[in-house]
Amino acid sequence: MSRRLHLYFLEPRRLALLEACFIGLVSGLAAVILRQGISWLGGWRVQASPGLPIWLKLPLFGLVGGFLAGWLIQRFSPDATGSGVSHVKVQLASSQRLPQAMSLNLRLAVVKLLSTVLVVGSGMSLGRQGPTVHMGAALAAAMTRWMPTSPGYRRQTIAAGAAAGLAAGFNAPIAGVLFVVEELLQDVSSLTLGTAILASFVGAVVSGILGGGPWDVTVEPDVSTVTAQFSPQDIPALLLLGVITGICSGWFNRGIVASLTWQRRYLAIGLPGRIAVAGLLSGTTMALLPVEFQDNAGLREFLTTGEASLSMIAIALVVKFALTLLVYGSGASGGLFAPTLILGSAIGSLVGLSSQLLFDIGDTRTFALAGMGAFFGAVAKIPITAIVIIFEITADFNVVLPLMIVSVLAYVVAEQVSAGSLYDRLLELRGWEQPAPQEDSSDLVDILVNDVMQRRVETVESHLPLAEVLEIFRRSPYGGFPVVEDTRLVGMITETDLMKLSQLPISDETPISELMMPQPVMVSSEDSLMQALYLLERHQIGRLPVVDGRRLVGIITHSDIVEAEARELIGRGRYRKVEPSYPVYVTRAPATGRGRLLVPLANPKTAPLLLQFAAAIAAANHYELECLQVVPVPRHRSPSETPVRITHSRRLLQTALHLSRRWQIPVHTQIRVAHDVAAAVLETIQERHIDTLLMGWKGGTRTPGRVFGDVADTLLRQAPCQMVLVKWGQAVIEQNPATMPELKRWLVPLGGGANALAGLELLSALVTGGDCSIVRLCQVFQEPANAEETEFLKQTAQLLESRLPCSVSAIPIYGSSVVEALLEEAQSQEYDAILLGASRQGVLQQALHGNIPRAIARGSHCTTIVVRHRTLADAEMMR
């Protein structure tokens, strides 16, 4: 029962809803702390102080508070400037693609809190509601890293934090929900609404209980004096108010952008200096005006109650407009919600009072409230949210109709004066990428696991004994395997599990079914990549078995998901499978060979050497030689429709045609245009019925999770033919590339199995005769070996000597590390080449120090040849 309850509440959607409640609680507390901090600092600022007159105190507060706020932002979190709404928008847009690359974090929330207290509490003309949105989103983003949040729901969770911040700032939960739907996400899914509603409700409740009630725009407790008045005769004046508000809001948006641009370009005194200057000028201006201007809340009440005269309203409008542009343009931390509401109330009061004086119609308070919502909605281009905010903070239904008339008209007019949302303009100004439309987004929710998973899975059977499973781990680079029983997934066994078991007294014959982890974490092939990514992060694992019912059909890793996302971004659309390659140049020779050897050519410097090697192998085995040049193109372009230049590729292939006459072998050539090199090679193998694949190899890769390299690893796993990788030694590279490389001294380690024997078959084609030529077979033992243990080594040497035109000897080598022992032998005897089986051996702790072929290739200066036998490829294909 406890397990079922645990799984029930950890279901991603339910977990997102639970997190939304907690986020609402935290965001509400942050909003209360911000409000109390501003109230404390603002009260201390306007409080009379003996020996410090108000005309000196206000500018001093603005100067010091601005400088400290700027220093905090510049030193600890540069993204904390402004209101933060534009930052939340761009982060929500980018989090669709790169959930881990979020810059919203706990540090930003703390800096935003402190800097906003300093800025707003010092009397600057900005508000606290925008910062509460920013803090709520930042706190939510931080919690998504601490809690097991599904990546598919992370955007909704962060948006819910923003909604809770707005709801707590205004005590308006419905407005918080609408703000997410209308401005941040443009999404009305059940999860978006559910998380936003819960977070907004909790945030508003916490703010209301701990921080006081909503904005009180009245001064009289009598309900009859606070009800908005509206009649049909008011409509012409309301229409005029809508036009004026729309024009002023458009100018306001232009002014904000111009102020930011001008101050950054011409006021080169740093962020702390700009905010300090803005605070000084704001404080000086406030000291010269009546006492109502010294406090934002007092000024708002002064304008909405109808007590102000026309001249005072006009002064308030001009001063507030100018100071807001000045302070916001400096980069101070603060929001535009409160200033736009005050400016809107000033315009509404001005029009309403004029209507009363001229025509004796209209209620000044109604016009002030309508102007508040209209100006705010026209600036941010969120008229619905603005209407709901005014309704929620007044709790007066009579204000809704005039508010709707003015808001809609102001929105239309403002769009003509300054198109687009102010927050989008701020994004462009700061150089942030404009959020893409939702329908064009790269959302991993729409990509299925079935489209990305690896279908060829290495598994272990449940009946295998522990000793055999240990051997499988030793020969594989993977850190874990699904355990199956008749293709049905029954468990998982990992390298970590085996290391823990090694400390227990367990018999080597114990079936792995008794030691595996039953009921492993798995994902359905029809689930989205977001669900797979959530499970990988939630359980901190590196791979997920993919099932259809209980039948194992594939496996998916972090790397697979990252690669799918990269393809999605490059392709600029829905996830698409790799388009088939397109041959643009083909030559054919008579098909007279007993098989075919494929040589993909990429590096012009080493291609002649590789061709000499290939020709020798082809001639010895009576094979035809197939030479391939792949021209990669971006994934958003079709290979069949992309023009490419093949002049250099044809010159490279001409070298192969010259070899055909020298070695008397048929040579075919082709050039393919493809999205993926490995996919093009696999297509060629299938179409041309290739028996052996020969490739050059650098000796290693820097790509995490890869053994030989992106292309080589894919081909080793999927190519249904024998595969040979060659890493040239420095001495060979310095030789004439037009001649066969002279490799006389060979070291051939034996570990048993098909790969080692496949390597021996190549020696007859690669080893030249002569007194100086020698092939030395070796096998590494940790302890002195007896005659029985070295018998296989001696028999192989005798068999090989009868087939090769040179001396063959067999020696045992001793050492605790296979790699170190072989490298020491290679350096001491100065071998020209080392021939290895491509066993791709992994490492258990206290075993090998890395993949043997890769480690030897990196540590040795001689030529390294790695062979993977066809039988191993067939076995992997069957899996």
Side-chain angles (χ1 to χ4, degrees):
M1 179 62 69
S2 61
R3 177 178 174 83
R4 290 182 178 179
L5 289 175
H6 179 75
L7 294 175
Y8 178 85
F9 285 108
L10 284 184
E11 193 274 329
R13 291 179 65 89
R14 298 187 185 97
L15 189 60
L17 296 176
L18 291 175
E19 289 176 357
C21 296
F22 185 67
I23 287 169
L25 174 64
V26 175
S27 298
L29 290 173
V32 170
I33 295 173
L34 178 63
R35 179 189 301 175
Q36 297 297 335
I38 292 174
S39 176
W40 171 80
L41 186 59
W44 186 31
R45 167 179 159 271
V46 297
Q47 184 179 3
S49 301
L52 190 61
I54 200 70
W55 59 266
L56 180 60
K57 189 174 185 180
L58 295 186
L60 185 61
F61 260 76
L63 178 68
V64 176
F67 183 85
L68 291 177
W71 179 81
L72 276 174
I73 295 171
Q74 182 174 276
R75 176 67 176 82
F76 297 103
S77 184
D79 288 332
T81 60
S83 69
V85 175
S86 57
H87 186 220
V88 174
K89 285 189 67 174
V90 75
Q91 291 300 315
L92 286 174
S94 64
S95 70
Q96 298 179 72
R97 299 177 178 173
L98 301 173
Q100 302 296 332
M102 298 286 289
S103 63
L104 294 169
N105 49 48
L106 183 60
R107 171 183 287 190
L108 185 144
V110 173
V111 172
K112 193 75 176 181
L113 172 66
L114 297 176
S115 59
T116 303
V117 169
L118 290 170
V119 168
V120 181
S122 297
M124 298 189 209
S125 183
L126 293 177
R128 58 180 171 82
Q129 286 75 25
T132 61
V133 173
H134 204 189
M135 289 191 304
L139 291 170
M143 282 186 280
T144 61
R145 299 185 183 94
W146 304 333
M147 298 179 178
T149 305
S150 169
Y153 305 147
R154 182 168 289 152
R155 294 179 64 244
Q156 283 81 1
T157 305
I158 295 173
L166 184 69
F170 284 110
N171 276 36
I174 301 176
V177 176
L178 290 178
F179 182 69
V180 169
V181 173
E182 190 176 14
E183 175 67 8
L184 295 182
L185 292 183
Q186 292 89 42
D187 178 20
V188 291
S189 65
S190 60
L191 181 65
T192 298
L193 291 175
T195 53
I197 289 172
L198 285 173
S200 297
F201 171 76
V202 174
V205 169
V206 171
S207 178
I209 293 175
L210 300 181
W215 279 16
D216 185 7
V217 297
T218 70
V219 292
E220 298 285 341
D222 186 2
V223 176
S224 63
T225 64
V226 300
T227 302
Q229 305 295 324
F230 172 69
S231 63
Q233 292 85 353
D234 298 335
I235 293 179
L238 290 173
L239 294 176
L240 177 63
L241 174 60
V243 173
I244 295 174
T245 304
I247 295 173
C248 292
S249 63
W251 288 348
F252 181 82
N253 285 0
R254 290 176 176 268
I256 288 290
V257 174
S259 178
L260 281 166
T261 304
W262 187 89
Q263 292 197 48
R264 291 178 183 176
R265 183 176 301 174
Y266 299 107
L267 204 60
I269 56 176
L271 183 64
R274 290 200 303 269
I275 302 178
V277 170
L280 177 64
L281 294 177
S282 297
T284 303
T285 304
M286 295 296 180
L288 299 176
L289 294 174
V291 67
E292 290 84 2
F293 288 82
Q294 296 177 8
D295 178 56
N296 287 330
L299 179 60
R300 183 183 64 248
E301 293 180 0
F302 181 63
L303 295 174
T304 55
T305 54
E307 297 178 356
S309 62
L310 278 175
S311 59
M312 290 297 295
I313 295 174
I315 293 174
L317 177 61
V318 174
V319 171
K320 195 69 176 177
F321 196 99
L323 290 181
T324 302
L325 297 186
L326 171 68
V327 176
Y328 197 88
S330 69
S333 175
L336 293 174
F337 290 172
T340 55
L341 292 175
I342 293 176
L343 289 171
S345 67
I347 297 173
S349 298
L350 197 63
V351 174
L353 188 56
S354 299
S355 177
Q356 276 189 348
L357 296 176
L358 295 176
F359 309 107
D360 196 25
I361 59 174
D363 175 53
T364 304
R365 180 177 178 277
T366 301
F367 275 72
L369 294 174
M372 288 172 65
F375 195 91
F376 170 50
V379 166
K381 299 300 188 293
I382 47 174
I384 298 176
T385 302
I387 292 170
V388 173
I389 283 180
I390 302 302
F391 170 69
E392 286 194 279
I393 65 177
T394 60
D396 186 357
F397 189 78
N398 291 327
V399 79
V400 173
L401 187 55
L403 186 58
M404 292 179 65
I405 295 173
V406 179
S407 295
V408 172
L409 185 56
Y411 176 83
V412 174
V413 174
E415 193 67 21
Q416 303 303 314
V417 178
S418 178
S421 169
L422 173 62
Y423 300 119
D424 292 340
R425 300 283 298 277
L426 295 177
L427 289 180
E428 298 173 1
L429 191 64
R430 297 190 65 167
W432 285 334
E433 181 184 356
Q434 187 80 2
Q438 183 70 17
E439 60 270 19
D440 294 332
S441 67
S442 166
D443 199 342
L444 293 183
V445 174
D446 298 328
I447 305 176
L448 298 181
V449 170
N450 187 65
D451 295 331
V452 179
M453 68 182 185
Q454 302 176 33
R455 300 181 184 276
R456 297 177 180 87
V457 189
E458 293 189 18
T459 63
V460 296
E461 295 288 339
S462 60
H463 61 80
L464 292 180
L466 175 60
E468 190 168 341
V469 173
L470 287 172
E471 181 65 18
I472 292 174
F473 270 93
R474 190 181 71 85
R475 293 180 176 273
S476 172
Y478 304 122
F481 292 96
V483 182
V484 297
E485 191 175 287
D486 297 329
T487 73
R488 186 171 60 90
L489 181 67
V490 295
M492 284 287 293
I493 187 70
T494 67
E495 191 174 277
T496 304
D497 297 334
L498 292 179
M499 292 305 301
K500 293 178 180 178
L501 293 173
S502 64
Q503 303 174 2
L504 301 176
I506 299 177
S507 170
D508 288 345
E509 299 302 319
T510 304
I512 202 64
S513 58
E514 299 179 10
L515 307 174
M516 69 183 184
M517 179 181 65
Q519 299 180 348
V521 180
M522 66 188 78
V523 65
S524 170
S525 60
E526 298 302 317
D527 285 340
S528 69
L529 283 194
M530 276 298 186
Q531 176 65 13
L533 185 59
Y534 161 68
L535 292 174
L536 288 169
E537 292 183 349
R538 170 69 181 86
H539 298 280
Q540 294 295 302
I541 53 180
R543 66 198 63 79
L544 269 179
V546 184
V547 295
D548 181 5
R550 292 291 295 183
R551 185 171 65 89
L552 181 68
V553 295
I555 198 164
I556 190 167
T557 66
H558 271 110
S559 299
D560 298 324
I561 298 176
V562 171
E563 182 179 354
E565 178 66 1
R567 290 180 178 179
E568 175 75 4
L569 294 177
I570 297 173
R572 299 178 184 175
R574 299 296 182 194
Y575 179 83
R576 294 190 289 268
K577 289 183 177 293
V578 176
E579 190 173 338
S581 61
Y582 184 75
V584 294
Y585 176 82
V586 177
T587 66
R588 290 286 179 260
T592 58
R594 295 188 305 187
R596 290 197 180 114
L597 185 149
L598 175 63
V599 185
L601 302 175
N603 188 345
K605 294 183 179 180
T606 58
L609 287 172
L610 195 63
L611 285 171
Q612 292 284 350
F613 228 56
I617 297 174
N621 292 276
H622 302 287
Y623 278 3
E624 301 165 17
L625 187 58
E626 185 89 26
C627 299
L628 171 66
Q629 174 84 45
V630 180
V631 180
V633 295
R635 295 187 183 274
H636 65 274
R637 305 183 67 178
S638 172
S640 61
E641 299 174 359
T642 304
V644 294
R645 300 184 63 179
I646 61 173
T647 304
H648 295 293
S649 298
R650 291 182 62 179
R651 290 175 184 171
L652 193 60
L653 295 177
Q654 287 297 324
T655 306
L657 294 175
H658 294 320
L659 284 175
S660 67
R661 293 188 289 270
R662 176 183 172 187
W663 290 88
Q664 297 297 311
I665 55 175
V667 175
H668 316 282
T669 66
Q670 60 175 303
I671 302 173
R672 287 178 177 259
V673 181
H675 289 154
D676 184 87
V677 175
V681 175
L682 290 172
E683 291 174 26
T684 305
I685 292 173
Q686 183 176 5
E687 292 176 11
R688 300 292 295 158
H689 308 290
I690 300 300
D691 298 279
T692 300
L693 172 64
L694 175 66
M695 290 182 58
W697 173 42
K698 296 179 180 179
T701 177
R702 296 181 180 179
T703 305
R706 297 294 188 179
V707 178
F708 296 97
D710 293 338
V711 175
D713 272 21
T714 301
L715 295 175
L716 278 169
R717 186 173 62 248
Q718 300 184 24
C721 63
Q722 177 174 279
M723 186 171 174
V724 182
L725 296 177
V726 181
K727 190 222 83 170
W728 300 110
Q730 189 62 36
V732 173
I733 296 177
E734 295 174 355
Q735 295 179 12
N736 183 4
T739 60
M740 181 65 183
E742 294 187 4
L743 303 175
K744 295 184 175 296
R745 297 178 60 81
W746 289 76
L747 178 64
V748 184
L750 292 183
N755 287 317
L757 297 178
L760 297 180
E761 294 174 1
L762 285 179
L763 286 175
S764 59
L766 302 177
V767 176
T768 58
D771 296 336
C772 297
S773 298
I774 184 174
V775 174
R776 180 162 293 174
L777 305 184
C778 67
Q779 191 169 0
V780 179
F781 299 95
Q782 292 186 355
E783 299 176 354
N786 53 41
E788 183 179 351
E789 292 174 330
T790 59
E791 182 63 26
F792 171 75
L793 184 64
K794 295 178 180 179
Q795 292 179 357
T796 305
Q798 293 174 358
L799 176 64
L800 195 59
E801 190 168 20
S802 64
R803 298 182 180 181
L804 296 180
C806 65
S807 171
V808 178
S809 61
I811 58 170
I813 299 177
Y814 302 102
S816 58
S817 168
V818 175
V819 174
E820 292 178 359
L822 291 177
L823 286 176
E824 183 178 354
E825 172 68 19
Q827 294 170 1
S828 62
Q829 300 298 324
E830 297 182 353
Y831 291 100
D832 297 320
I834 303 177
L835 182 64
L836 301 164
S839 55
R840 304 186 69 206
Q841 291 165 306
V843 289
L844 292 176
Q845 293 181 12
Q846 303 174 3
L848 303 184
H849 294 159
N851 178 274
I852 291 178
R854 181 179 64 183
I856 293 176
R858 286 180 174 178
S860 174
H861 297 294
C862 62
T863 297
T864 305
I865 303 172
V866 182
V867 183
R868 189 216 56 188
H869 195 255
R870 180 171 186 164
T871 56
L872 180 59
D874 294 338
E876 290 185 356
M877 292 287 287
M878 291 298 292
R879 289 172 185 163

